[in-house]
Amino acid sequence: GLRAALDLRNGGVLARDLHELYAYVTLRLTQANLKSDEGTLDECVKLMRPLADAWISISPATTAAA
């Protein structure tokens, strides 16, 4: 998963913050699944959307088109 790809030893604060975010989102997704709670899913999307958008914005296809 996403947490396994993080280099916590050399990644500094960013890696630690992402590790904590991924752990939190994983917990919330599990809770959403157990309770069939769409609101919790929405929370997870709101938390992860900025990261997804950032990755999309730096993808090779995006930078080549610019």
Side-chain angles (χ1 to χ4, degrees):
L2 294 172
R3 283 187 286 173
L6 295 172
D7 182 352
L8 295 175
R9 183 172 301 155
N10 298 310
V13 174
L14 177 60
R16 286 190 299 273
D17 288 350
L18 287 172
H19 187 270
E20 290 177 13
L21 174 64
Y22 297 159
Y24 177 75
V25 170
T26 299
L27 172 67
R28 296 297 285 155
L29 288 171
T30 301
Q31 292 171 340
N33 184 43
L34 291 172
K35 298 178 182 179
S36 297
D37 183 357
E38 287 186 39
T40 302
L41 290 176
D42 291 338
E43 174 193 359
C44 294
V45 170
K46 287 178 186 176
L47 290 170
M48 296 304 292
R49 176 63 60 201
L51 288 174
D53 291 345
W55 278 109
I56 290 167
S57 74
I58 63 171
S59 73
T62 303
T63 55

